[in-house]
Amino acid sequence: MTIRALYHTARGLQGLTAAERESTASRSIRRRLWLWRRGFVSQSDAVYDLDEASYEEYLSDYQRYVRTKRINGTWSVALSNKLLFHRVMQPFDDQRMAVYGMLRDGTFHAVDAGTMPSPREVTDGGSTVSAATDDGHGTATETHNAAQRVVERLEDEQRLVLKWVHGGGGNNVFLCTRTEDGYQVNDDHYTEAEFRSLVASLDEYLVCEFVEQGSFAAGLYPTTPNTIRLITMYDEVANELFIAAAIQRIGTDASAPLDNFTQGGLSAAIDLETGELGPGAQPPDGDGVERHLTHPDTGAPVEGVSVPGWDRIREQVLEMADACSFVPYIGWDVIVTGPDGEFSVIEANSYPGLKSIQVHGPLLADDRVRRFYERMDVC
């Protein structure tokens, strides 16, 4: 085993241990030992309801945390580094969210050319600060001050997303909104001085466009962005990409301001042929999974609703996956923005979480998916 493989194994085991420690499912020591010997943590038992007859059809937590990390090898960086992924996606500009810049050591570094506003004056806690500085020759030059540039962009757009270049799973993401008396970051209110201090403290964060979801996604639950997760795999025998599974994630009062399943959001399976949603599964607060035909907070229909333009979404995601087929395993997060299958890619993951997928059934029950994981030495 290489040093790199040893490192990823150690990190994977750390993640597995942390997942068990954070589990809210109560299990006896005897049951936990049964689960651990088979590679599962207690929370998965609550989601999957495992037994001797079925557990081998589920990709285990050990396989996910330790072995799937190795699938993409060194090319996993093309997904795990969000700025690099943004560059990889350049041929698909219509599906890319705009990345205005990166924050590093209090400095703003522009990314997408032509996306930042012109220098102007804005108010900072009652005093006026110019977005331009004098270069000593009477010429105005644009400031690189991180807080100033983010405040300036919010003056134009009212909403932004700040996300860590290396983060995943909804962690280290700040949804920023300009309000009448300051700023809202996720669920917290900030004065302008507090907001500037927050931005100045962020290191290696991307300043991204807030993608406006279309009426379909907003109709599911208007308070959060509601994203589709698709997993693509490369079939070496058929020499083609395929979609292994797809779900519609739907925010709830418990998960807001995000739609993450592990934080209490809903996961509805998408029929890969028709785009129709199944019931929304909600993770257990203890044991068992709740399944909702309608949204538990708003009453909006879930089961039977169809993703608009599903054929277009499916084919374009496969086209993007084919363009980077050297990365054979990708979890895509996309948000539907229009009525005819228009969408934006929010991010992609090299070893996506699987509970929100397998809550609808075991992945390894599909022979093509099982063959993929077997060829990749995952199971």
Side-chain angles (χ1 to χ4, degrees):
M1 184 178 290
T2 65
I3 293 176
R4 177 183 174 82
L6 284 170
Y7 169 77
H8 283 301
T9 297
R11 288 293 302 273
L13 291 171
Q14 286 178 348
L16 191 64
T17 302
E20 179 59 47
R21 190 167 53 246
E22 295 166 5
S23 173
T24 60
S26 176
R27 293 292 183 270
S28 67
I29 292 297
R30 180 177 180 180
R31 180 62 176 175
R32 289 190 181 205
L33 288 173
W34 185 92
L35 292 166
W36 294 343
R37 284 196 296 268
R38 290 157 180 80
F40 294 93
V41 299
S42 300
Q43 198 68 34
S44 294
D45 194 31
V47 174
Y48 305 151
D49 193 22
L50 300 164
D51 58 33
E52 286 287 358
S54 66
Y55 82 88
E56 290 185 333
E57 292 196 324
Y58 288 90
L59 200 77
S60 73
D61 295 302
Y62 174 81
Q63 290 166 331
R64 186 257 164 172
Y65 276 96
V66 176
R67 294 186 176 176
T68 62
K69 281 190 174 183
R70 306 171 187 168
I71 292 177
N72 292 329
T74 57
W75 287 107
S76 63
V77 70
L79 307 181
S80 60
N81 185 304
K82 292 181 175 62
L83 181 55
L84 178 56
F85 176 69
H86 184 67
R87 297 300 195 201
V88 170
M89 285 293 295
Q90 195 162 357
F92 303 96
D93 197 51
D94 288 345
Q95 283 76 45
R96 288 198 309 172
M97 65 190 301
V99 176
Y100 304 121
M102 185 173 73
L103 311 177
R104 189 177 185 192
D105 296 328
T107 301
F108 180 92
H109 301 269
V111 174
D112 288 343
T115 59
M116 292 306 292
S118 300
R120 63 179 183 276
E121 292 186 338
V122 297
T123 299
D124 178 14
S127 61
T128 299
V129 177
S130 176
T133 59
D134 195 302
D135 64 1
H137 301 284
T139 303
T141 59
E142 208 166 320
T143 181
H144 294 286
N145 178 275
Q148 176 65 29
R149 296 296 290 276
V150 172
V151 164
E152 190 173 291
R153 172 52 71 173
L154 273 170
E155 289 292 323
D156 278 0
E157 296 201 7
Q158 303 303 306
R159 291 194 285 185
L160 287 175
V161 180
L162 307 180
K163 58 172 64 177
W164 191 39
V165 172
H166 309 288
N171 299 316
N172 304 308
V173 175
F174 298 100
L175 304 183
C176 307
T177 304
R178 184 74 170 94
T179 63
E180 290 184 0
D181 59 348
Y183 300 86
Q184 182 174 317
V185 181
N186 294 342
D187 288 328
D188 300 319
H189 178 267
Y190 284 70
T191 65
E192 183 165 330
E194 290 170 338
F195 181 70
R196 285 175 177 272
S197 179
L198 170 67
V199 173
S201 72
L202 300 178
D203 192 44
E204 296 196 344
Y205 270 73
L206 298 181
V207 182
C208 304
E209 167 193 14
F210 184 95
V211 177
E212 292 286 352
Q213 60 190 358
S215 58
F216 161 74
L220 295 170
Y221 183 71
T223 307
T224 66
N226 302 301
T227 57
I228 293 175
R229 160 66 58 85
L230 307 97
I231 295 182
T232 58
M233 299 178 177
Y234 183 70
D235 186 335
E236 292 181 344
V237 175
N239 193 32
E240 65 180 11
L241 274 297
F242 70 97
I243 296 175
I247 59 168
Q248 173 69 60
R249 298 191 296 199
I250 307 169
T252 64
D253 291 353
S255 71
L258 302 175
D259 62 356
N260 295 63
F261 177 74
T262 56
Q263 296 172 11
L266 303 182
S267 167
I270 299 176
D271 185 296
L272 295 182
E273 293 300 320
T274 67
E276 185 173 303
L277 304 187
Q282 193 167 29
D285 184 10
D287 290 331
V289 174
E290 296 181 3
R291 299 185 187 274
H292 304 275
L293 305 184
T294 59
H295 196 284
D297 302 314
T298 68
V302 175
E303 185 180 42
V305 175
S306 293
V307 179
W310 171 248
D311 289 346
R312 176 181 178 180
I313 294 170
R314 182 183 58 199
E315 295 309 312
Q316 288 192 340
V317 167
L318 285 172
E319 183 181 349
M320 291 186 292
D322 188 58
C324 49
S325 59
F326 52 89
V327 186
Y329 184 56
I330 303 177
W332 302 87
D333 291 342
V334 310
I335 191 163
V336 181
T337 57
D340 298 315
E342 299 91 344
F343 68 93
S344 288
V345 177
I346 304 301
E347 64 180 38
N349 302 274
S350 188
Y351 58 104
L354 297 176
K355 284 186 179 62
S356 60
I357 299 286
Q358 293 193 123
V359 69
H360 304 295
L363 274 170
L364 300 182
D366 184 316
D367 290 340
R368 195 178 193 186
V369 173
R370 179 182 286 274
R371 286 195 300 271
F372 171 82
Y373 282 126
E374 286 176 345
R375 286 197 301 272
M376 295 300 172
D377 198 29
V378 172
C379 59

